[in-house]
Amino acid sequence: MARVARIREHGGPEVIEWIDVDLPDPGPGEVRIKATAVGLNFIEIYQRNGLYPLKLPSGLGGEGTGVVEAIGPGVAGVQIGDRVGTFGPIGSYATARIVPATMLIPLPDDIDDRTAAAILLKGGTTEFLIERCAKVQAGQTVLVHAAAGGVGHLAVGWLKAIGATVIGTVGSPDKAERARRAGAHHVIEYKKEDIAARVKQITGGAGVPVILDGVGKDTWEASLASATPRGMIVSYGNASGPVTGVNLGTLASHGSLFVSRPTMFHYYATPEDRKAGFDRVFAMLRQGAIKPEIGQTFALEDVADAHCALEAGKTEGATVLLP
């Protein structure tokens, strides 16, 4: 018997309900995992509220860690008792679930379950944004919006480790201090300062060649105005709402800019992609370049409260749900 979150309609946190499910034995190529920790990510809010609509009824959650407790026919390289992580298949808000064995991420012995649950999706996102999408080079200056948030906080540390100069935007003095601890060289409190004007001041009027923007609508104009000619804006999230109605001529008028709207799953599409990406994430974690500070935990079945806190901007760093 497993406890599983379900939504039957899109809406606010109140649409999340919990049901009891009898899980079958895993089928060919599948394993059953008992959850030990579950990550919380903003994409799950988009899926719940319908910005990224799901086929209903649906589970929720895409990231977690657990222990393999049953193995289906034809599965090789996995044993009962193995510690594993998963990201991608929706349904991690559950005390146990069945997933394809090809989606498993073996967890190193030196990385505990809570850390892994906090790092898989955000760490993988950080890796592909910086290294494979924007292809940031040492010596470049990068603007990171929401630099105290889950991905932003990791991106700051990662960028500093590879030799980039980091300008972070935050919404409060507490978050400014958090961004500085992560390694930001310059911090802009956007409620007090004009982002683009401050970026131009910091860069001697040049602007920045790379912008990582997980905020969306509220920072789009500032991102355009902060970019150097032929710079790249990587718009990877919609925390304030989606960017819509974009006139492509705007990119020309701001300096022949590039814009990418990537998703992690296109960069982690194959087992080879996942292995290479997470090998890099775990290496950066070990060297201390990224520190997935867990700002708060919630009981798994209190996930609606966790959604409320995340939407209201009342969380810091990673949130982990505990079965």
Side-chain angles (χ1 to χ4, degrees), residues 122-322:
K122 297 179 185 69
T125 298
T126 302
E127 180 274 324
F128 92 78
L129 288 175
I130 292 172
E131 305 216 338
R132 288 188 281 158
C133 183
K135 299 180 180 178
V136 177
Q137 302 297 309
Q140 288 186 313
T141 300
V142 181
L143 175 63
V144 180
H145 289 299
V151 172
H153 176 260
L154 297 181
V156 168
W158 194 300
L159 288 163
K160 183 180 180 182
I162 65 173
T165 297
V166 185
I167 304 173
T169 71
V170 298
S172 70
D174 288 347
K175 291 186 176 183
E177 180 56 32
R178 177 176 168 78
R180 291 189 183 96
R181 288 199 310 268
H185 300 85
H186 308 275
V187 178
I188 301 169
E189 291 187 45
Y190 64 80
K191 294 179 181 178
K192 299 178 181 178
E193 303 175 276
D194 179 276
I195 292 173
R198 187 79 176 92
V199 167
K200 292 297 180 68
Q201 182 185 52
I202 292 167
T203 61
V208 293
V210 177
I211 298 165
L212 302 182
D213 190 345
V215 177
K217 181 180 67 174
D218 288 355
T219 48
W220 173 246
E221 293 295 333
S223 291
L224 287 171
S226 297
T228 191
R230 296 186 301 184
M232 171 174 268
I233 301 171
V234 182
S235 179
Y236 68 91
N238 312 298
S240 66
V243 177
T244 59
V246 177
N247 180 345
L248 291 180
T250 300
L251 304 180
S253 65
H254 282 86
S256 299
L257 303 183
F258 296 85
V259 175
S260 179
R261 182 60 178 90
T263 67
M264 180 180 180
F265 305 108
H266 292 137
Y267 285 81
Y268 280 70
T270 68
E272 293 75 20
D273 288 337
R274 288 192 289 276
K275 183 180 187 310
F278 284 114
D279 281 352
R280 183 76 170 124
V281 170
F282 293 147
M284 293 294 270
L285 183 62
R286 289 189 184 98
Q287 75 180 61
I290 55 175
K291 300 181 177 85
E293 296 177 3
I294 298 172
Q296 49 281 311
T297 62
F298 289 80
L300 180 57
E301 292 200 33
D302 291 337
V303 67
D305 293 336
H307 273 222
C308 289
L310 185 59
E311 283 186 284
K314 295 180 179 178
T315 64
E316 286 195 359
T319 300
V320 174
L321 310 171
L322 302 175

